[in-house]
Amino acid sequence: MKTIRQIALGVVMAVAVGSAMARNTEIYEPPKMLWASAAEPTPQQLRDRIVAAGQSLGWVVSKDEAGRLELLYDKQGKHQVTIAVQYDATGYKIDYLSSVNLDFAEANGVRKIHPNYNRWVRNLMKRIGTA
């Protein structure tokens, strides 16, 4: 009976550790994405494309400068992330700036965060590509 309890405890601990580890993954740092357009858009058109794509997914512009936007995503008031989107006539680049309640950590040059961040950024990139 004691052995069964020890095995059950071991299984519970393994599951708990596994799910805790799944909540922290290496941060996705996308390369510069190139625009797929034959005609060269104006800076205003590029800005509008990024803003429209972001707004359709719940991102809000928190800072707007020429060639650079800061976007904030707030998930139900519990989790927030801010990114920078730098853009020009050739493409755009997304960089992580800060977050709240997404378990961001940096150790030995490796940055980790909750996996939802990576999903949110990839969804934004897809939407910008189709805007």
Side-chain angles (χ1 to χ4, degrees):
M1 191 66 145
K2 195 174 194 181
T3 304
I4 293 174
R5 266 193 228 165
Q6 288 175 335
I7 291 172
L9 180 62
V11 169
V12 168
M13 294 295 288
V15 169
V17 169
S19 49
M21 295 300 286
R23 294 195 165 278
N24 207 0
T25 187
E26 195 166 327
I27 198 166
Y28 177 57
E29 299 184 66
K32 183 173 183 175
M33 304 302 293
L34 303 178
W35 299 115
S37 175
E40 187 171 313
T42 67
Q44 184 65 39
Q45 290 171 324
L46 297 174
R47 179 209 168 276
D48 293 347
R49 181 177 183 174
I50 294 166
V51 169
Q55 286 177 338
S56 72
L57 294 170
W59 293 85
V60 176
V61 176
S62 60
K63 194 171 187 180
D64 191 345
E65 301 171 347
R68 184 176 187 275
L69 294 165
E70 285 187 14
L71 301 178
L72 169 71
Y73 184 74
D74 185 323
K75 182 68 172 174
Q76 301 172 338
K78 297 177 185 175
H79 311 283
Q80 295 90 30
V81 65
T82 303
I83 60 172
V85 183
Q86 297 184 68
Y87 61 94
D88 59 25
T90 61
Y92 68 95
K93 172 106 174 77
I94 296 176
D95 293 305
Y96 169 88
L97 293 179
S98 65
S99 61
V100 175
N101 290 332
L102 287 175
D103 301 329
F104 176 78
E106 186 169 358
N108 300 322
V110 177
R111 300 185 326 155
K112 294 192 173 194
I113 197 163
H114 192 284
N116 282 348
Y117 167 81
N118 292 338
R119 184 172 44 87
W120 297 336
V121 167
R122 285 187 173 103
N123 287 342
L124 177 61
M125 293 170 62
K126 285 180 194 172
R127 192 62 58 96
I128 291 171
T130 60

